[in-house]
Amino acid sequence: MAAERLGLDLEALGGQLVWRIGKDEVSDEVVVRLGYASATPRFAHLPRLRSAGDAELRSALDEGRVVIEWVD
């Protein structure tokens, strides 16, 4: 029952979040930017991220080159 409730809570939270995933131009790390939908305008003020294909994302995960940034 608790796991079912957690799943519902996470699904509801997911509907309120926005994210961007890409490669940092300087460090080549994969960056995951995450924030509430109300923070969407602030994403535009952050450095641009380059697109990354599935293989690049998998490699970065395997090598620990993923950075998660919370956007307020």
Short mmCIF file of all heavy atoms in Angstrom, two decimals:
data_model
loop_
_atom_site.label_atom_id
_atom_site.label_comp_id
_atom_site.label_asym_id
_atom_site.label_seq_id
_atom_site.Cartn_x
_atom_site.Cartn_y
_atom_site.Cartn_z
N MET A 1 0.82 -1.19 0.00
CA MET A 1 0.00 0.00 0.00
C MET A 1 0.87 1.26 0.00
O MET A 1 0.59 2.19 -0.71
CB MET A 1 -0.94 -0.03 1.21
CG MET A 1 -1.96 1.06 1.19
SD MET A 1 -3.11 0.79 -0.14
CE MET A 1 -4.55 1.45 0.52
N ALA A 2 1.95 1.28 0.82
CA ALA A 2 2.83 2.44 0.88
C ALA A 2 3.54 2.66 -0.44
O ALA A 2 3.70 3.80 -0.89
CB ALA A 2 3.85 2.29 2.00
N ALA A 3 3.96 1.59 -1.10
CA ALA A 3 4.64 1.71 -2.40
C ALA A 3 3.68 2.27 -3.45
O ALA A 3 4.08 3.07 -4.30
CB ALA A 3 5.18 0.36 -2.84
N GLU A 4 2.44 1.86 -3.38
CA GLU A 4 1.43 2.37 -4.32
C GLU A 4 1.23 3.87 -4.13
O GLU A 4 1.17 4.63 -5.08
CB GLU A 4 0.12 1.62 -4.11
CG GLU A 4 -0.94 1.96 -5.13
CD GLU A 4 -2.18 1.11 -4.93
OE1 GLU A 4 -2.04 -0.13 -4.86
OE2 GLU A 4 -3.26 1.70 -4.82
N ARG A 5 1.16 4.29 -2.87
CA ARG A 5 0.98 5.72 -2.55
C ARG A 5 2.20 6.52 -3.01
O ARG A 5 2.07 7.62 -3.56
CB ARG A 5 0.76 5.89 -1.05
CG ARG A 5 0.60 7.31 -0.59
CD ARG A 5 -0.61 7.95 -1.23
NE ARG A 5 -0.53 9.38 -1.09
CZ ARG A 5 -1.45 10.19 -1.52
NH1 ARG A 5 -2.52 9.73 -2.10
NH2 ARG A 5 -1.31 11.48 -1.37
N LEU A 6 3.40 5.99 -2.79
CA LEU A 6 4.62 6.65 -3.23
C LEU A 6 4.60 6.85 -4.74
O LEU A 6 4.95 7.91 -5.25
CB LEU A 6 5.86 5.86 -2.80
CG LEU A 6 7.20 6.42 -3.26
CD1 LEU A 6 7.43 7.83 -2.72
CD2 LEU A 6 8.33 5.50 -2.85
N GLY A 7 4.20 5.83 -5.46
CA GLY A 7 4.11 5.93 -6.92
C GLY A 7 3.16 7.03 -7.36
O GLY A 7 3.46 7.79 -8.28
N LEU A 8 2.03 7.14 -6.69
CA LEU A 8 1.06 8.20 -7.02
C LEU A 8 1.63 9.58 -6.70
O LEU A 8 1.46 10.53 -7.47
CB LEU A 8 -0.24 7.98 -6.26
CG LEU A 8 -1.06 6.75 -6.67
CD1 LEU A 8 -2.22 6.53 -5.71
CD2 LEU A 8 -1.55 6.90 -8.10
N ASP A 9 2.31 9.69 -5.55
CA ASP A 9 2.92 10.97 -5.17
C ASP A 9 4.00 11.39 -6.15
O ASP A 9 4.08 12.56 -6.55
CB ASP A 9 3.51 10.89 -3.75
CG ASP A 9 2.44 10.83 -2.67
OD1 ASP A 9 1.26 11.11 -2.96
OD2 ASP A 9 2.80 10.48 -1.53
N LEU A 10 4.84 10.45 -6.57
CA LEU A 10 5.90 10.77 -7.53
C LEU A 10 5.32 11.15 -8.89
O LEU A 10 5.84 12.05 -9.56
CB LEU A 10 6.87 9.58 -7.67
CG LEU A 10 7.76 9.32 -6.47
CD1 LEU A 10 8.55 8.04 -6.67
CD2 LEU A 10 8.68 10.51 -6.20
N GLU A 11 4.27 10.48 -9.30
CA GLU A 11 3.63 10.82 -10.56
C GLU A 11 3.04 12.23 -10.52
O GLU A 11 3.18 13.00 -11.46
CB GLU A 11 2.52 9.81 -10.87
CG GLU A 11 1.94 9.98 -12.25
CD GLU A 11 0.97 8.88 -12.60
OE1 GLU A 11 1.20 7.72 -12.20
OE2 GLU A 11 -0.02 9.18 -13.28
N ALA A 12 2.42 12.60 -9.42
CA ALA A 12 1.88 13.95 -9.26
C ALA A 12 2.99 14.99 -9.26
O ALA A 12 2.86 16.05 -9.89
CB ALA A 12 1.07 14.04 -7.97
N LEU A 13 4.10 14.70 -8.59
CA LEU A 13 5.24 15.62 -8.55
C LEU A 13 5.83 15.78 -9.94
O LEU A 13 6.19 16.89 -10.36
CB LEU A 13 6.30 15.12 -7.58
CG LEU A 13 7.56 15.95 -7.46
CD1 LEU A 13 7.24 17.36 -6.97
CD2 LEU A 13 8.56 15.28 -6.54
N GLY A 14 5.94 14.69 -10.68
CA GLY A 14 6.51 14.74 -12.02
C GLY A 14 5.78 15.68 -12.95
O GLY A 14 6.37 16.30 -13.82
N GLY A 15 4.49 15.85 -12.75
CA GLY A 15 3.72 16.76 -13.56
C GLY A 15 4.01 18.22 -13.28
O GLY A 15 3.61 19.10 -14.04
N GLN A 16 4.71 18.50 -12.20
CA GLN A 16 5.03 19.88 -11.81
C GLN A 16 6.48 20.24 -12.11
O GLN A 16 6.92 21.35 -11.82
CB GLN A 16 4.77 20.06 -10.32
CG GLN A 16 3.34 19.83 -9.92
CD GLN A 16 3.16 19.91 -8.43
OE1 GLN A 16 3.81 20.69 -7.74
NE2 GLN A 16 2.26 19.11 -7.90
N LEU A 17 7.24 19.31 -12.68
CA LEU A 17 8.67 19.53 -12.90
C LEU A 17 8.98 19.74 -14.38
O LEU A 17 8.29 19.23 -15.25
CB LEU A 17 9.48 18.33 -12.40
CG LEU A 17 9.39 18.03 -10.91
CD1 LEU A 17 10.14 16.75 -10.60
CD2 LEU A 17 9.92 19.18 -10.09
N VAL A 18 10.03 20.51 -14.63
CA VAL A 18 10.59 20.65 -15.97
C VAL A 18 12.07 20.28 -15.87
O VAL A 18 12.68 20.38 -14.82
CB VAL A 18 10.43 22.07 -16.54
CG1 VAL A 18 8.97 22.39 -16.78
CG2 VAL A 18 11.04 23.11 -15.63
N TRP A 19 12.63 19.84 -16.98
CA TRP A 19 14.04 19.46 -16.97
C TRP A 19 14.65 19.66 -18.34
O TRP A 19 13.98 19.72 -19.36
CB TRP A 19 14.23 18.02 -16.51
CG TRP A 19 13.53 17.01 -17.36
CD1 TRP A 19 14.01 16.39 -18.48
CD2 TRP A 19 12.21 16.52 -17.18
NE1 TRP A 19 13.06 15.54 -19.00
CE2 TRP A 19 11.94 15.60 -18.21
CE3 TRP A 19 11.21 16.77 -16.24
CZ2 TRP A 19 10.73 14.94 -18.33
CZ3 TRP A 19 10.01 16.12 -16.37
CH2 TRP A 19 9.79 15.21 -17.40
N ARG A 20 15.96 19.78 -18.33
CA ARG A 20 16.79 19.83 -19.53
C ARG A 20 17.94 18.88 -19.31
O ARG A 20 18.53 18.84 -18.23
CB ARG A 20 17.37 21.23 -19.75
CG ARG A 20 16.38 22.24 -20.19
CD ARG A 20 16.33 22.18 -21.69
NE ARG A 20 15.68 23.35 -22.22
CZ ARG A 20 14.75 23.29 -23.15
NH1 ARG A 20 14.38 22.16 -23.63
NH2 ARG A 20 14.22 24.38 -23.60
N ILE A 21 18.30 18.14 -20.33
CA ILE A 21 19.44 17.23 -20.26
C ILE A 21 20.32 17.52 -21.46
O ILE A 21 19.84 17.62 -22.59
CB ILE A 21 18.99 15.76 -20.29
CG1 ILE A 21 18.07 15.46 -19.11
CG2 ILE A 21 20.20 14.83 -20.29
CD1 ILE A 21 17.45 14.08 -19.15
N GLY A 22 21.62 17.68 -21.23
CA GLY A 22 22.57 17.93 -22.31
C GLY A 22 23.99 17.92 -21.80
O GLY A 22 24.24 17.73 -20.61
N LYS A 23 24.90 18.15 -22.72
CA LYS A 23 26.32 18.14 -22.35
C LYS A 23 26.81 19.57 -22.13
O LYS A 23 26.51 20.46 -22.91
CB LYS A 23 27.14 17.48 -23.45
CG LYS A 23 26.86 15.98 -23.55
CD LYS A 23 27.67 15.34 -24.63
CE LYS A 23 29.07 15.13 -24.14
NZ LYS A 23 29.90 14.39 -25.09
N ASP A 24 27.56 19.74 -21.07
CA ASP A 24 28.19 21.02 -20.77
C ASP A 24 29.26 21.28 -21.82
O ASP A 24 30.02 20.39 -22.19
CB ASP A 24 28.81 20.96 -19.37
CG ASP A 24 29.43 22.27 -18.98
OD1 ASP A 24 28.69 23.15 -18.53
OD2 ASP A 24 30.66 22.40 -19.13
N GLU A 25 29.30 22.50 -22.34
CA GLU A 25 30.26 22.83 -23.40
C GLU A 25 31.70 22.83 -22.92
O GLU A 25 32.61 22.58 -23.69
CB GLU A 25 29.91 24.18 -24.02
CG GLU A 25 28.62 24.12 -24.82
CD GLU A 25 28.37 25.40 -25.59
OE1 GLU A 25 29.14 26.37 -25.45
OE2 GLU A 25 27.37 25.43 -26.33
N VAL A 26 31.93 23.11 -21.65
CA VAL A 26 33.29 23.22 -21.13
C VAL A 26 33.81 21.88 -20.60
O VAL A 26 34.87 21.40 -21.01
CB VAL A 26 33.37 24.30 -20.02
CG1 VAL A 26 34.76 24.34 -19.41
CG2 VAL A 26 32.97 25.65 -20.57
N SER A 27 33.04 21.25 -19.71
CA SER A 27 33.54 20.05 -19.04
C SER A 27 33.17 18.76 -19.75
O SER A 27 33.71 17.71 -19.43
CB SER A 27 33.00 19.99 -17.61
OG SER A 27 31.60 19.75 -17.64
N ASP A 28 32.26 18.79 -20.68
CA ASP A 28 31.78 17.62 -21.40
C ASP A 28 30.98 16.67 -20.51
O ASP A 28 30.69 15.55 -20.90
CB ASP A 28 32.94 16.87 -22.07
CG ASP A 28 32.51 16.21 -23.38
OD1 ASP A 28 31.67 16.79 -24.09
OD2 ASP A 28 33.02 15.11 -23.67
N GLU A 29 30.62 17.12 -19.29
CA GLU A 29 29.77 16.32 -18.41
C GLU A 29 28.32 16.42 -18.91
O GLU A 29 27.93 17.41 -19.53
CB GLU A 29 29.82 16.83 -16.98
CG GLU A 29 31.16 16.63 -16.31
CD GLU A 29 31.21 17.25 -14.93
OE1 GLU A 29 30.67 18.35 -14.75
OE2 GLU A 29 31.81 16.63 -14.07
N VAL A 30 27.55 15.41 -18.61
CA VAL A 30 26.11 15.48 -18.89
C VAL A 30 25.46 16.18 -17.71
O VAL A 30 25.70 15.84 -16.55
CB VAL A 30 25.52 14.08 -19.11
CG1 VAL A 30 24.00 14.14 -19.15
CG2 VAL A 30 26.04 13.48 -20.41
N VAL A 31 24.66 17.18 -18.00
CA VAL A 31 24.01 17.97 -16.97
C VAL A 31 22.50 17.72 -17.05
O VAL A 31 21.92 17.77 -18.14
CB VAL A 31 24.30 19.48 -17.16
CG1 VAL A 31 23.55 20.31 -16.14
CG2 VAL A 31 25.80 19.75 -17.09
N VAL A 32 21.91 17.45 -15.90
CA VAL A 32 20.46 17.32 -15.79
C VAL A 32 20.00 18.51 -14.96
O VAL A 32 20.33 18.61 -13.79
CB VAL A 32 20.05 16.00 -15.11
CG1 VAL A 32 18.53 15.93 -14.97
CG2 VAL A 32 20.59 14.80 -15.87
N ARG A 33 19.28 19.42 -15.58
CA ARG A 33 18.73 20.58 -14.87
C ARG A 33 17.28 20.28 -14.58
O ARG A 33 16.52 19.92 -15.46
CB ARG A 33 18.85 21.84 -15.71
CG ARG A 33 20.28 22.26 -15.87
CD ARG A 33 20.40 23.62 -16.49
NE ARG A 33 21.80 23.97 -16.55
CZ ARG A 33 22.38 24.54 -17.59
NH1 ARG A 33 21.67 24.86 -18.65
NH2 ARG A 33 23.67 24.80 -17.57
N LEU A 34 16.91 20.47 -13.33
CA LEU A 34 15.59 20.08 -12.86
C LEU A 34 15.03 21.18 -11.99
O LEU A 34 15.75 21.78 -11.19
CB LEU A 34 15.74 18.78 -12.04
CG LEU A 34 14.54 18.17 -11.39
CD1 LEU A 34 13.56 17.66 -12.44
CD2 LEU A 34 15.00 17.03 -10.50
N GLY A 35 13.77 21.48 -12.15
CA GLY A 35 13.13 22.48 -11.31
C GLY A 35 11.62 22.44 -11.46
O GLY A 35 11.09 21.74 -12.32
N TYR A 36 10.94 23.18 -10.62
CA TYR A 36 9.49 23.29 -10.73
C TYR A 36 9.14 24.09 -11.98
O TYR A 36 9.93 24.91 -12.46
CB TYR A 36 8.89 23.96 -9.50
CG TYR A 36 8.93 23.08 -8.27
CD1 TYR A 36 9.73 23.42 -7.19
CD2 TYR A 36 8.17 21.92 -8.19
CE1 TYR A 36 9.78 22.61 -6.06
CE2 TYR A 36 8.21 21.10 -7.08
CZ TYR A 36 9.01 21.45 -6.02
OH TYR A 36 9.07 20.66 -4.91
N ALA A 37 7.96 23.88 -12.50
CA ALA A 37 7.52 24.59 -13.70
C ALA A 37 7.60 26.11 -13.51
O ALA A 37 7.88 26.84 -14.46
CB ALA A 37 6.11 24.16 -14.08
N SER A 38 7.42 26.58 -12.30
CA SER A 38 7.49 28.02 -12.03
C SER A 38 8.90 28.57 -12.26
O SER A 38 9.08 29.79 -12.40
CB SER A 38 7.04 28.32 -10.60
OG SER A 38 7.87 27.63 -9.67
N ALA A 39 9.91 27.70 -12.30
CA ALA A 39 11.30 28.14 -12.51
C ALA A 39 11.68 28.16 -13.99
O ALA A 39 12.82 28.50 -14.33
CB ALA A 39 12.25 27.21 -11.76
N THR A 40 10.76 27.83 -14.88
CA THR A 40 11.07 27.73 -16.31
C THR A 40 11.79 28.97 -16.85
O THR A 40 12.77 28.82 -17.59
CB THR A 40 9.79 27.44 -17.11
OG1 THR A 40 9.24 26.22 -16.64
CG2 THR A 40 10.07 27.34 -18.59
N PRO A 41 11.39 30.20 -16.53
CA PRO A 41 12.11 31.36 -17.07
C PRO A 41 13.58 31.40 -16.67
O PRO A 41 14.42 31.91 -17.41
CB PRO A 41 11.36 32.56 -16.47
CG PRO A 41 9.99 32.04 -16.15
CD PRO A 41 10.21 30.60 -15.76
N ARG A 42 13.94 30.87 -15.52
CA ARG A 42 15.32 30.91 -15.06
C ARG A 42 16.22 29.96 -15.85
O ARG A 42 17.43 30.15 -15.91
CB ARG A 42 15.38 30.63 -13.57
CG ARG A 42 14.79 31.80 -12.76
CD ARG A 42 14.94 31.62 -11.28
NE ARG A 42 13.95 30.77 -10.66
CZ ARG A 42 12.69 31.10 -10.43
NH1 ARG A 42 12.23 32.28 -10.80
NH2 ARG A 42 11.86 30.27 -9.84
N PHE A 43 15.65 28.94 -16.47
CA PHE A 43 16.43 28.04 -17.30
C PHE A 43 17.11 28.81 -18.44
O PHE A 43 18.22 28.47 -18.84
CB PHE A 43 15.55 26.93 -17.89
CG PHE A 43 15.28 25.79 -16.97
CD1 PHE A 43 14.47 25.94 -15.85
CD2 PHE A 43 15.82 24.54 -17.22
CE1 PHE A 43 14.21 24.88 -15.01
CE2 PHE A 43 15.57 23.46 -16.38
CZ PHE A 43 14.76 23.64 -15.27
N ALA A 44 16.44 29.84 -18.95
CA ALA A 44 16.97 30.61 -20.08
C ALA A 44 18.23 31.39 -19.72
O ALA A 44 19.00 31.76 -20.60
CB ALA A 44 15.90 31.57 -20.59
N HIS A 45 18.46 31.64 -18.44
CA HIS A 45 19.62 32.42 -18.01
C HIS A 45 20.84 31.56 -17.70
O HIS A 45 21.89 32.08 -17.34
CB HIS A 45 19.26 33.28 -16.79
CG HIS A 45 18.17 34.25 -17.08
ND1 HIS A 45 18.36 35.38 -17.83
CD2 HIS A 45 16.85 34.24 -16.75
CE1 HIS A 45 17.23 36.04 -17.95
NE2 HIS A 45 16.29 35.36 -17.30
N LEU A 46 20.71 30.26 -17.84
CA LEU A 46 21.82 29.35 -17.55
C LEU A 46 22.59 29.05 -18.84
O LEU A 46 22.05 29.19 -19.94
CB LEU A 46 21.27 28.04 -16.95
CG LEU A 46 20.56 28.21 -15.61
CD1 LEU A 46 19.86 26.92 -15.22
CD2 LEU A 46 21.55 28.62 -14.54
N PRO A 47 23.86 28.66 -18.72
CA PRO A 47 24.63 28.34 -19.92
C PRO A 47 23.94 27.25 -20.74
O PRO A 47 23.31 26.34 -20.20
CB PRO A 47 25.96 27.81 -19.36
CG PRO A 47 26.06 28.40 -18.00
CD PRO A 47 24.65 28.50 -17.49
N ARG A 48 24.05 27.39 -22.05
CA ARG A 48 23.42 26.43 -22.95
C ARG A 48 24.05 25.04 -22.82
O ARG A 48 25.23 24.92 -22.50
CB ARG A 48 23.55 26.91 -24.40
CG ARG A 48 22.75 28.17 -24.65
CD ARG A 48 22.83 28.63 -26.09
NE ARG A 48 22.39 27.63 -27.05
CZ ARG A 48 21.13 27.48 -27.46
NH1 ARG A 48 20.18 28.24 -26.96
NH2 ARG A 48 20.81 26.57 -28.36
N LEU A 49 23.25 24.06 -23.07
CA LEU A 49 23.71 22.67 -23.08
C LEU A 49 23.66 22.15 -24.51
O LEU A 49 22.74 22.46 -25.26
CB LEU A 49 22.82 21.79 -22.19
CG LEU A 49 22.76 22.17 -20.72
CD1 LEU A 49 21.70 21.32 -20.00
CD2 LEU A 49 24.12 21.99 -20.06
N ARG A 50 24.68 21.38 -24.89
CA ARG A 50 24.69 20.75 -26.21
C ARG A 50 23.86 19.48 -26.16
O ARG A 50 23.76 18.83 -25.13
CB ARG A 50 26.12 20.39 -26.62
CG ARG A 50 27.00 21.60 -26.86
CD ARG A 50 28.38 21.21 -27.36
NE ARG A 50 29.14 20.55 -26.29
CZ ARG A 50 29.68 19.34 -26.39
NH1 ARG A 50 29.55 18.64 -27.49
NH2 ARG A 50 30.36 18.82 -25.39
N SER A 51 23.29 19.13 -27.28
CA SER A 51 22.51 17.89 -27.31
C SER A 51 23.44 16.70 -27.15
O SER A 51 24.62 16.75 -27.48
CB SER A 51 21.71 17.79 -28.61
OG SER A 51 22.59 17.73 -29.71
N ALA A 52 22.88 15.62 -26.63
CA ALA A 52 23.65 14.39 -26.41
C ALA A 52 22.78 13.22 -26.83
O ALA A 52 21.59 13.16 -26.49
CB ALA A 52 24.05 14.26 -24.95
N GLY A 53 23.36 12.30 -27.55
CA GLY A 53 22.65 11.12 -27.98
C GLY A 53 22.56 10.08 -26.87
O GLY A 53 23.20 10.20 -25.82
N ASP A 54 21.78 9.06 -27.11
CA ASP A 54 21.59 8.00 -26.11
C ASP A 54 22.91 7.35 -25.71
O ASP A 54 23.13 7.06 -24.54
CB ASP A 54 20.62 6.94 -26.63
CG ASP A 54 19.19 7.45 -26.71
OD1 ASP A 54 18.89 8.50 -26.12
OD2 ASP A 54 18.37 6.78 -27.37
N ALA A 55 23.77 7.09 -26.68
CA ALA A 55 25.05 6.43 -26.37
C ALA A 55 25.92 7.33 -25.48
O ALA A 55 26.58 6.86 -24.55
CB ALA A 55 25.80 6.08 -27.65
N GLU A 56 25.92 8.64 -25.75
CA GLU A 56 26.69 9.58 -24.93
C GLU A 56 26.13 9.65 -23.51
O GLU A 56 26.90 9.71 -22.54
CB GLU A 56 26.68 10.97 -25.56
CG GLU A 56 27.46 11.08 -26.84
CD GLU A 56 27.30 12.44 -27.46
OE1 GLU A 56 26.17 12.80 -27.84
OE2 GLU A 56 28.32 13.16 -27.55
N LEU A 57 24.80 9.64 -23.40
CA LEU A 57 24.18 9.67 -22.08
C LEU A 57 24.52 8.40 -21.29
O LEU A 57 24.87 8.46 -20.11
CB LEU A 57 22.67 9.83 -22.20
CG LEU A 57 22.18 11.14 -22.80
CD1 LEU A 57 20.68 11.10 -22.99
CD2 LEU A 57 22.60 12.32 -21.96
N ARG A 58 24.45 7.26 -21.93
CA ARG A 58 24.77 5.99 -21.27
C ARG A 58 26.22 5.97 -20.81
O ARG A 58 26.55 5.57 -19.71
CB ARG A 58 24.48 4.83 -22.22
CG ARG A 58 24.94 3.46 -21.76
CD ARG A 58 24.48 3.00 -20.41
NE ARG A 58 23.06 3.09 -20.21
CZ ARG A 58 22.46 3.09 -19.01
NH1 ARG A 58 23.19 2.97 -17.92
NH2 ARG A 58 21.18 3.19 -18.90
N SER A 59 27.12 6.43 -21.68
CA SER A 59 28.54 6.47 -21.34
C SER A 59 28.79 7.38 -20.14
O SER A 59 29.54 7.04 -19.23
CB SER A 59 29.34 6.95 -22.55
OG SER A 59 30.69 7.09 -22.22
N ALA A 60 28.16 8.55 -20.13
CA ALA A 60 28.33 9.48 -19.01
C ALA A 60 27.81 8.87 -17.71
O ALA A 60 28.44 9.02 -16.66
CB ALA A 60 27.61 10.79 -19.32
N LEU A 61 26.68 8.18 -17.77
CA LEU A 61 26.15 7.52 -16.57
C LEU A 61 27.12 6.45 -16.07
O LEU A 61 27.42 6.38 -14.88
CB LEU A 61 24.81 6.87 -16.88
CG LEU A 61 23.60 7.79 -16.89
CD1 LEU A 61 22.38 7.07 -17.45
CD2 LEU A 61 23.31 8.31 -15.49
N ASP A 62 27.63 5.64 -17.00
CA ASP A 62 28.55 4.57 -16.62
C ASP A 62 29.84 5.10 -16.01
O ASP A 62 30.44 4.47 -15.14
CB ASP A 62 28.87 3.69 -17.83
CG ASP A 62 27.68 2.88 -18.31
OD1 ASP A 62 26.68 2.76 -17.56
OD2 ASP A 62 27.72 2.39 -19.46
N GLU A 63 30.28 6.28 -16.48
CA GLU A 63 31.55 6.86 -16.03
C GLU A 63 31.38 7.87 -14.89
O GLU A 63 32.36 8.47 -14.45
CB GLU A 63 32.24 7.52 -17.21
CG GLU A 63 32.62 6.55 -18.31
CD GLU A 63 33.08 7.24 -19.59
OE1 GLU A 63 33.29 8.47 -19.56
OE2 GLU A 63 33.21 6.54 -20.61
N GLY A 64 30.16 8.08 -14.44
CA GLY A 64 29.93 9.02 -13.34
C GLY A 64 30.12 10.47 -13.73
O GLY A 64 30.49 11.29 -12.90
N ARG A 65 29.87 10.80 -15.00
CA ARG A 65 30.02 12.18 -15.47
C ARG A 65 28.68 12.86 -15.64
O ARG A 65 28.41 13.54 -16.62
CB ARG A 65 30.78 12.20 -16.82
CG ARG A 65 32.21 11.77 -16.75
CD ARG A 65 32.90 11.89 -18.11
NE ARG A 65 32.33 10.98 -19.11
CZ ARG A 65 31.61 11.37 -20.16
NH1 ARG A 65 31.37 12.63 -20.39
NH2 ARG A 65 31.12 10.48 -21.02
N VAL A 66 27.79 12.68 -14.66
CA VAL A 66 26.47 13.29 -14.69
C VAL A 66 26.34 14.23 -13.51
O VAL A 66 26.64 13.87 -12.38
CB VAL A 66 25.35 12.21 -14.63
CG1 VAL A 66 23.98 12.87 -14.58
CG2 VAL A 66 25.46 11.27 -15.82
N VAL A 67 25.92 15.44 -13.79
CA VAL A 67 25.74 16.46 -12.76
C VAL A 67 24.26 16.83 -12.73
O VAL A 67 23.66 17.09 -13.77
CB VAL A 67 26.58 17.71 -13.08
CG1 VAL A 67 26.33 18.81 -12.07
CG2 VAL A 67 28.05 17.38 -13.15
N ILE A 68 23.67 16.84 -11.54
CA ILE A 68 22.27 17.23 -11.40
C ILE A 68 22.24 18.62 -10.78
O ILE A 68 22.85 18.86 -9.73
CB ILE A 68 21.51 16.22 -10.54
CG1 ILE A 68 21.53 14.87 -11.22
CG2 ILE A 68 20.07 16.71 -10.32
CD1 ILE A 68 20.91 13.75 -10.43
N GLU A 69 21.56 19.54 -11.45
CA GLU A 69 21.43 20.92 -10.98
C GLU A 69 19.97 21.21 -10.69
O GLU A 69 19.12 20.97 -11.54
CB GLU A 69 21.91 21.91 -12.04
CG GLU A 69 23.36 21.80 -12.40
CD GLU A 69 23.77 22.77 -13.51
OE1 GLU A 69 22.89 23.45 -14.09
OE2 GLU A 69 24.96 22.85 -13.79
N TRP A 70 19.69 21.72 -9.51
CA TRP A 70 18.32 22.14 -9.17
C TRP A 70 18.20 23.61 -9.53
O TRP A 70 19.01 24.44 -9.12
CB TRP A 70 18.04 21.94 -7.68
CG TRP A 70 16.66 22.36 -7.32
CD1 TRP A 70 16.30 23.51 -6.69
CD2 TRP A 70 15.45 21.66 -7.59
NE1 TRP A 70 14.94 23.57 -6.54
CE2 TRP A 70 14.39 22.44 -7.10
CE3 TRP A 70 15.15 20.45 -8.22
CZ2 TRP A 70 13.05 22.05 -7.20
CZ3 TRP A 70 13.83 20.05 -8.32
CH2 TRP A 70 12.80 20.83 -7.80
N VAL A 71 17.18 23.96 -10.29
CA VAL A 71 16.95 25.35 -10.71
C VAL A 71 15.81 25.90 -9.88
O VAL A 71 14.68 25.40 -9.90
CB VAL A 71 16.60 25.41 -12.22
CG1 VAL A 71 16.35 26.85 -12.64
CG2 VAL A 71 17.71 24.78 -13.05
N ASP A 72 16.11 26.95 -9.10
CA ASP A 72 15.09 27.59 -8.24
C ASP A 72 14.28 28.58 -9.03
O ASP A 72 14.73 29.30 -9.82
CB ASP A 72 15.74 28.33 -7.08
CG ASP A 72 16.24 27.37 -6.02
OD1 ASP A 72 15.64 26.31 -5.84
OD2 ASP A 72 17.25 27.71 -5.37
#
